Amino acid sequence: MTDPKDDLRVYLQDARDVLLWKLDGLPEYDIRRPLTPTGTNLLGLVKHLAGAEALYFGRAFGRPFAGTALWIGGDAEPDADLWARADESRADIVGLYRRACAHSDETIASLPLDALGRVPGAPKETTLHRSLTHMIAETQRHAGHADIVRELIDGAVGQRPDELNVAPHDPEHLGRVERAAKEAAAHHP
């Protein structure tokens, strides 16, 4: 029989690992450059999740994380958590994320799943179970963004560098998908 809290922790850690490997081997410009009209970039996703971990497992449960501002509310620039300033190094942001995750893991280990907390600004209390579920979804969502951004940068895909978890595609695959889209648009305007 498995431990439900451990199952949740394993899924959260897996998503964290996926997110961080998307930075591996890329030059500074590529981890920072915006690749969508909204500015989505790899290092910004990591920075955002550092703040989310600090919020959902730190402040929410009375264990403030002494490593970062949360970039939420106050006089922070809108979306300040979704990109890295030139003076913020990769090592600093990745280190911050790792420390926030370690702090979160201490919260998770020390509390039962039904422990109550309150996310600042939320209308009601939440449980550790709900915070874990939220952070798994949040981290997986942003790991998916990172997957697409990384593919746009250099074509690297998959969940891990040694475990692609995607089918290999022959050079004609993209053409087949494009032709199907055009045919469908012609038949279903």
Side-chain angles (χ1 to χ4, degrees), residues 28 32 43 47 80 83-93:
E28 203 64 29
R32 294 168 178 270
L43 197 57
K47 182 179 176 183
W83 62 282
R85 297 183 323 267
D87 65 328
E88 294 176 305
S89 75
R90 173 195 319 231
D92 289 343
I93 291 174

Side-chain angles (χ1 to χ4, degrees), residues 60-101:
F61 291 95
R63 298 188 69 247
F65 175 64
T68 180
L70 293 177
W71 308 289
I72 297 170
D75 58 355
E77 176 184 330
D79 294 333
D81 62 323
L82 290 168
W83 62 282
R85 297 183 323 267
D87 65 328
E88 294 176 305
S89 75
R90 173 195 319 231
D92 289 343
I93 291 174
V94 169
L96 175 69
Y97 182 59
R98 289 184 193 281
R99 288 189 309 280
C101 291

Side-chain angles (χ1 to χ4, degrees), residues 10 34 46 79 89 112 116 118 125 129 137 147 150 184-185:
V10 166
V46 175
D79 294 333
S89 75
L116 293 177
R118 183 180 301 272
E125 288 182 318
H129 182 264
D147 206 22
R150 179 67 188 252

Side-chain angles (χ1 to χ4, degrees), residues 125-184:
E125 288 182 318
T126 189
T127 62
L128 178 64
H129 182 264
R130 188 167 180 87
S131 287
L132 266 163
T133 302
H134 173 83
M135 279 308 302
I136 291 167
E138 178 87 0
T139 307
Q140 288 288 7
R141 176 177 181 248
H142 292 309
H145 293 141
D147 206 22
I148 292 166
V149 170
R150 179 67 188 252
E151 184 177 0
L152 290 169
I153 292 169
D154 68 357
V157 297
Q159 193 166 356
R160 287 176 253 303
D162 58 344
E163 180 188 322
L164 294 181
N165 79 320
V166 294
H169 297 108
D170 60 61
E172 282 81 46
H173 174 73
L174 190 60
R176 281 193 300 275
V177 174
E178 178 66 24
R179 284 189 301 280
K182 287 180 179 178
E183 286 178 31

Side-chain angles (χ1 to χ4, degrees), residues 11-81:
Y11 273 89
L12 178 57
Q13 187 58 52
D14 186 59
R16 292 166 172 168
D17 293 343
V18 169
L19 179 74
L20 287 178
W21 98 256
K22 296 299 176 176
L23 302 174
D24 286 355
L26 291 177
E28 203 64 29
Y29 175 71
D30 284 338
I31 65 167
R32 294 168 178 270
R33 69 179 166 128
L35 285 160
T36 69
T38 58
T40 303
N41 65 90
L42 294 172
L43 197 57
L45 292 170
V46 175
K47 182 179 176 183
H48 169 74
L49 285 169
E53 292 263 356
L55 180 67
Y56 278 87
F57 298 116
R59 285 187 54 195
F61 291 95
R63 298 188 69 247
F65 175 64
T68 180
L70 293 177
W71 308 289
I72 297 170
D75 58 355
E77 176 184 330
D79 294 333
D81 62 323

